[in-house]
DNA sequence: AAACGCAACTGGTCAATACCAGTTGCGGGG
DNA sequence: CCCCGCAACTGGTATTGACCAGTTGCGTTT
């Protein structure tokens, strides 16, 4: 029963109570919450108010609503830990994603679409080329165990991809990085900028995200030994299925 | 005006329209959206429906509501790019955060609280010690230009901190890492695990997060040259104010 | 001219109600 | 016995109506 004199909004009181019951373990992961109509009785508030409370917990990522079934306490999701870019995997004949995912014990697959477009301001900046320079765009949808878990869009100046398998959906054994090195563009280092944000509606549906789950974004730029940027890879992945592992020397 | 025959829920149609007007620039960052009551007229729906639409955009982080003023298109927030752990900064007499933030052009300050507690299962695992081992806990609240931007909790086995300035709020010049090396614990490498999630209510208020903004989480473990983990640092920061920059050799 | 205070806005909260749309289980018919 | 279909649940969408609570600006008062 909510306290109408406390000053705290009723829906917050309901949300706080549910949150506390989840934290205490009374409502364990996978458990179903009382139905909205039951809570209307137990808390003495209207259904919209109950829904406001449940929606709060949903945006906090604590619970998941399933139409026709109920609202459930979210299960702790096992995260894939992605180690960043081991050359060993590339030399074993796999691209970066395939190597990472296989190492994490998943069976991955990738769907690729290749297009061409002129460089916008951001790409020009990152690749160090003029705006309008023609780029080869590899748009990739990556699945693990059948579900889409990662979106990645790589862009290369077409000067480094022309006449190579990089302009084909199947870029060949070892992926695009192997093709780059074969073309004399010896890779020296990558920079990664990691961020997080809420997904766009499109990302939300493709990645099958529950409401309240953010995405991790990685912008990876590949540089050759002569300091030239040859690839910008924009990666988006579900934050509740991934964490990124980095190792940094103290030197 | 919404289309009642399209099958798409009315509140989604309103949200889609607003989202499109924001994307097109018709509603620019900082602009005020029409008031809820105005939208009731223009779209021909009830106010709760309008609110559902606006709430969707809020959880997407596109707009911010201000009580009594209106709903505003979110301004592009300038993100601080944090380079991970340069020794040069540490040797210049600053801790990692102070070095990073100063490099990004902010005037940082840190508030520290030191406590002691036994290791739980996770800490025991990460630090390679027995559950219950006494730890020194440094709980830090980091401000930049006056606003709290980062929370960090470092835990050390007390065996490495006993009798050092690490058990004082002011750990001295160069921060705890300098104290560790003075104590013969020469740092060799760090591992960082980066994730993202929605903030807890506490984090949300301390970090002054707008609704719909996730937090980036970093768990950094420091290892000495003899392979021993001596520090676990749990860092939480606002994802709309930070991105993390890593550099990875291709070797 | 300055300061106060009161509209007239804004979003925030809440109620009562209705119907739509998935899911599930049980009972009756094949 | 199996299967189909219908209740009886679940959450999803939407309405109308009301009042509370910040903010702002414009008048009036001092």
């Amino acid at each position: 029963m909510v306290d109408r004199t406390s000053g705290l909004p009723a829906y917050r009181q309901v949300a706080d109570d549910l949150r506390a019951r989840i934290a205490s373990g009374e409502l364990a992961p996978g458990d179903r919450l009382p139905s909205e109509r039951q809570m209307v009785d137990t808390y003495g508030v209207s259904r919209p108010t109950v829904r406001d409370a449940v929606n709060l917990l949903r945006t906090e990522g604590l619970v998941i609503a399933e139409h026709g079934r109920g609202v459930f306490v979210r299960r702790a999701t096992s995260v894939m830990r992605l180690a960043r870019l081991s050359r060993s995997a590339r030399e074993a004949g796999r691209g970066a994603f395939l190597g990472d995912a296989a190492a994490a014990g998943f069976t991955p697959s990738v769907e690729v679409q290749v297009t061409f477009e002129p460089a916008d301001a951001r790409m020009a900046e990152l690749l160090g080329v003029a705006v309008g320079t023609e780029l080869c765009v590899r748009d990739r949808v990556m699945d693990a165990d059948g579900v889409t878990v990662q979106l990645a869009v790589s862009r290369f100046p077409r000067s480094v991809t022309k006449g190579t398998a990089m302009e084909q959906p199947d870029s060949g054994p070892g992926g695009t990085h192997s093709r780059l090195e074969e073309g004399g563009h010896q890779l020296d280092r990558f920079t990664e900028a990691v961020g997080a944000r809420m997904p766009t509606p499109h990302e939300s549906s493709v990645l099958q995200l529950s409401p309240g789950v953010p995405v991790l974004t990685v912008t990876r730029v590949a540089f050759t030994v002569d300091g030239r940027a040859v690839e910008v890879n924009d990666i988006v992945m579900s934050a509740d299925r991934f964490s990124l592992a980095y190792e940094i020397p103290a030197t």
Side-chain angles (χ1 to χ4, degrees), chain A:
Chain A
M1 216 32 103
V2 304
D3 174 10
R4 313 320 281 258
T5 67
S6 74
L8 202 63
Y11 80 99
R12 299 273 269 112
Q13 293 184 43
V14 174
D16 288 349
D17 182 65
L18 292 172
R19 201 184 292 111
R21 288 164 67 185
I22 291 170
S24 78
E26 181 190 335
L27 291 166
D31 281 3
R32 215 198 73 188
L33 267 57
S35 81
E36 295 177 349
R37 289 164 179 86
Q38 276 173 25
M39 289 195 271
V40 166
D41 294 335
T42 61
Y43 290 110
V45 296
S46 72
R47 191 165 159 233
T49 301
V50 169
R51 284 186 63 77
D52 283 347
V54 172
N55 279 332
L56 223 189
L57 299 185
R58 291 216 282 167
T59 65
E60 288 172 10
L62 275 181
V63 300
I64 295 180
E66 293 182 36
H67 192 170
R69 307 218 317 124
V71 180
F72 299 86
V73 179
R74 178 148 205 183
R75 292 175 184 281
T77 54
S78 65
V79 302
M80 290 188 243
R81 179 145 300 181
L82 295 191
R84 307 311 291 154
L85 290 181
S86 63
R87 165 162 293 198
S88 53
R90 194 159 73 254
E91 289 174 343
R94 296 170 300 200
F97 169 72
L98 296 176
D100 278 346
F106 292 84
T107 62
S109 67
V110 181
E111 199 173 305
V112 187
Q113 214 170 359
V114 179
T115 56
F116 302 95
E117 66 179 33
D120 62 13
R122 175 170 169 263
M123 282 304 135
E125 161 86 25
L126 288 170
L127 286 170
V129 299
V131 172
T133 303
E134 192 173 26
L135 306 180
C136 171
V137 181
R138 296 179 58 86
D139 196 329
R140 315 201 292 299
V141 177
M142 301 167 175
D143 293 13
D145 293 342
V147 300
T148 298
V149 293
Q150 205 179 107
L151 305 175
V153 182
S154 279
R155 282 169 238 255
F156 309 82
R158 199 155 178 202
S159 56
V160 306
T161 63
K162 194 160 279 182
T164 75
M166 280 186 279
E167 300 197 348
Q168 306 302 322
D170 181 358
S171 58
T176 52
H177 290 174
S178 296
R179 294 297 86 68
L180 280 171
E181 301 216 320
E182 288 165 11
H185 305 284
Q186 197 191 335
L187 296 178
D188 178 45
R189 64 185 215 280
F190 303 90
T191 62
E192 297 203 349
V194 182
R197 58 174 169 76
M198 293 314 286
T200 66
H202 171 252
E203 289 165 349
S204 193
S205 72
V206 175
L207 294 173
Q208 298 177 56
L209 299 175
S210 328
V213 176
V215 289
L216 278 167
T217 62
V218 179
T219 299
R220 177 164 66 213
V221 183
F223 291 89
T224 60
V225 287
D226 51 340
R228 182 183 177 196
V230 289
E231 178 196 10
V232 174
N233 191 359
D234 283 302
I235 308 167
V236 175
M237 67 198 98
S238 163
D240 74 344
R241 288 197 282 262
F242 285 95
S243 82
L244 305 172
Y246 293 91
E247 184 166 317
I248 306 157
T251 316

